């Protein structure tokens, strides 16, 4: 019976359906509404049933008792609550052998409560769809490894992360903060310190310092081509959302 309930809960959460009925089923499975949780998803090896048994066993070995495992198409999804030694990195490493190493395996973002559980599941599944966009594909990969691609595929959680966290950090609270203007000019210049410095009428060392500070603030380095793409996407989405909010 629990497996049937797990399948219903997982299917609804993967579709972004979070209502009082799903909350009741969530509670029936022994989950607290306030739990922090994460997702691991990928193709099961050798099959779903064996993968499910192994995942549950490893979570129990780490001291956890909140683990929902279900199918979504060909993917095996494990939604896991954080407790004891059950942390995202440790648990992902422990259960990795349950997944096919020839296919993408994704560690979804850590989120809070049932709404967060839905966001984590959607993030992991969308990341697997986006995996062909990067090479080589990390094993396991993180949902943030394909943050821009997830946004392009319609993942609202990825868009919010890019706008609220990345763009928000660049923009800052002070209207005189030059971080956003500097990163934007650097990206538009083709990553040229000299052109950016001339554009902003500052010394190249000033540009270098501001880029370093932006990297520390956002976690993304504008001088790295891949991470520059993340920043460029965040700036575009942030400006679009700001324009929509002004209308």
């Amino acid at each position: 019976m629990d497996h049937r309930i797990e399948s219903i809960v997982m299917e609804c959460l993967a579709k972004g359906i979070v209502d009082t009925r799903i909350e009741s089923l969530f509670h029936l499975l022994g989950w607290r509404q306030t739990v922090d949780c994460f997702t691991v998803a990928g193709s099961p090896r050798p099959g779903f049933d064996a993968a499910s048994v192994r995942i549950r066993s490893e979570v129990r070995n780490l001291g956890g008792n909140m683990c929902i495992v279900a199918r979504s198409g060909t993917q095996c999804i494990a939604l896991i609550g954080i407790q004891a030694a059950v942390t995202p990195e440790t648990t992902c490493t422990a259960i990795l052998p349950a997944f096919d190493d020839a296919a993408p395996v994704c560690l979804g973002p850590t989120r809070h409560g049932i709404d967060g559980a839905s966001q984590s599941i959607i993030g992991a599944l969308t990341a697997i769809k986006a995996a062909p966009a990067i090479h080589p594909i990390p094993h396991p990969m993180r949902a943030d490894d394909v943050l821009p691609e997830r946004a392009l595929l319609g993942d609202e959680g990825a868009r919010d992360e890019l706008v609220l966290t990345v763009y928000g950090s660049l923009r800052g609270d002070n209207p005189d903060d030059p971080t956003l203007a500097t990163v934007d000019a650097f990206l538009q210049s083709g990553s040229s310190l000299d052109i950016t410095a001339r554009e902003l009428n500052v010394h190249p060392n000033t540009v270098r310092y501001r880029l370093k500070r932006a990297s520390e603030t956002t976690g993304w380095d504008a001088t790295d081509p891949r991470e520059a793409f993340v920043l460029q996407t965040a700036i575009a989405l942030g400006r679009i959302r700001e324009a929509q909010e002004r209308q």
Side-chain angles (χ1 to χ4, degrees):
M1 179 62 176
D2 280 356
H3 293 327
R4 175 59 180 161
I5 295 175
E6 286 186 349
S7 295
I8 294 171
V9 169
M10 190 70 79
E11 182 178 358
C12 290
L13 294 181
K15 293 178 179 177
I17 301 173
V18 179
D19 55 26
T20 54
R21 294 169 298 176
I22 302 305
E23 289 177 356
S24 297
L25 293 176
F26 205 62
H27 181 71
L28 188 62
L29 291 171
W31 282 63
R32 305 186 306 273
Q33 297 293 337
T34 56
V35 68
D36 290 324
C37 56
F38 60 94
T39 303
V40 181
S43 297
R45 180 180 63 179
F48 174 78
D49 291 338
S52 176
V53 169
R54 180 157 194 170
I55 291 168
R56 296 176 198 275
S57 175
E58 294 292 350
V59 171
R60 285 195 300 270
N61 290 341
L62 292 170
N65 59 13
M66 289 183 288
C67 179
I68 298 174
V69 185
R71 292 185 179 92
S72 178
T74 61
Q75 303 298 317
C76 172
I77 315 170
L79 177 67
I80 304 167
I82 296 178
Q83 55 185 155
V86 182
T87 60
E89 291 76 14
T90 300
T91 308
C92 186
T93 299
I95 68 176
L96 196 59
F99 297 94
D100 185 354
D101 57 12
V105 178
C106 182
L107 173 60
T110 298
R111 293 292 183 263
H112 182 76
I114 189 168
D115 288 310
S118 178
Q119 293 168 11
S120 183
I121 292 166
I122 292 170
L125 291 176
T126 309
I128 289 175
K129 292 179 182 177
I134 59 174
H135 182 79
I137 301 172
H139 191 83
M141 64 185 295
R142 293 174 176 271
D144 281 357
D145 290 335
V146 285
L147 198 54
E149 290 81 5
R150 284 169 51 207
L152 290 172
L153 289 173
D155 184 338
E156 288 299 327
R159 289 178 180 172
D160 286 344
E161 178 75 13
L162 287 164
V163 173
L164 301 178
T165 303
V166 182
Y167 180 73
S169 296
L170 289 172
R171 197 171 185 276
D173 297 324
N174 184 352
D176 296 325
D177 189 329
T179 304
L180 175 59
T182 302
V183 171
D184 186 41
F186 180 74
L187 296 174
Q188 295 299 326
S189 73
S191 303
S192 169
L193 287 172
D194 292 335
I195 294 175
T196 304
R198 287 198 298 271
E199 175 72 20
L200 300 176
N201 196 28
V202 297
H203 193 277
N205 284 342
T206 301
V207 175
R208 189 177 288 107
Y209 168 76
R210 291 178 182 176
L211 293 176
K212 182 176 182 295
R213 190 177 64 179
S215 176
E216 293 169 350
T217 302
T218 66
W220 301 97
D221 183 0
T223 64
D224 177 273
R226 172 63 193 175
E227 297 187 22
F229 177 52
V230 176
L231 291 166
Q232 201 159 22
T233 306
I235 292 171
L237 290 174
R239 286 174 171 166
I240 290 170
R241 185 171 295 187
E242 284 182 339
Q244 291 173 336
E245 290 172 351
R246 289 194 297 266
Q247 292 177 355

